[in-house]
Amino acid sequence: QVQLVESGGGLVQAGGSLRLSCAASGRTFSPHRMGWFRQAPGEERTIVAAVRWSFGSTYYANSVKGRFTISRDNAKNTVYLQMNSLKPEDTAVYYCAAAVYSGSYYYSSNYDYWGQGTQVTVSS
């Protein structure tokens, strides 16, 4: 079983930055892909960014392109989300997820393991 633990959320003013981390533990960890999703109250959980674990290729939602950067440290089994130029509309619970098999990075149903989520609040 794989456990994912997020950290780094908090309260920040608009224009500020936060860095989220997601550490994986458990059995030998070698996912196909890692992703960050977010969910605001009353809304669906949506993709923010994803990274191929082996090749490092990345994908971003249009709403965060140029502001957020996803990266991974394979040796530490950790994935990061650097969030810059934060906006109030970025406020949500952010979830880390791991996909064992290939598939579209876009759909949450293609991910097998999930973290507990970390709250990000951006004040105006």
Side-chain angles (χ1 to χ4, degrees), residues 1-4 27 29 31 34 96-100 111-115:
Q1 187 71 14
V2 172
Q3 287 93 33
L4 303 178
R27 63 179 178 90
F29 187 70
M34 296 290 293
C96 171
V100 175
Y111 293 78
D112 305 283
Y113 300 100
W114 291 84

Side-chain angles (χ1 to χ4, degrees), residues 9-21:
L11 173 64
V12 64
Q13 288 189 333
S17 299
L18 283 174
R19 188 194 196 204
L20 306 183
S21 299

Side-chain angles (χ1 to χ4, degrees), residues 48-98:
V48 176
V51 60
R52 285 281 300 275
W53 194 250
S54 295
F55 299 114
S57 49
T58 56
Y59 314 90
Y60 295 95
N62 287 335
S63 59
V64 306
K65 280 181 181 177
R67 299 188 298 123
F68 291 12
T69 303
I70 189 171
S71 61
R72 88 270 190 248
D73 185 330
N74 298 53
K76 295 182 178 179
N77 286 345
T78 300
V79 64
Y80 305 96
L81 185 68
Q82 178 66 43
M83 305 185 294
N84 299 329
S85 302
L86 282 161
K87 304 175 181 180
E89 50 263 44
D90 294 317
T91 295
V93 177
Y94 283 69
Y95 297 90
C96 171

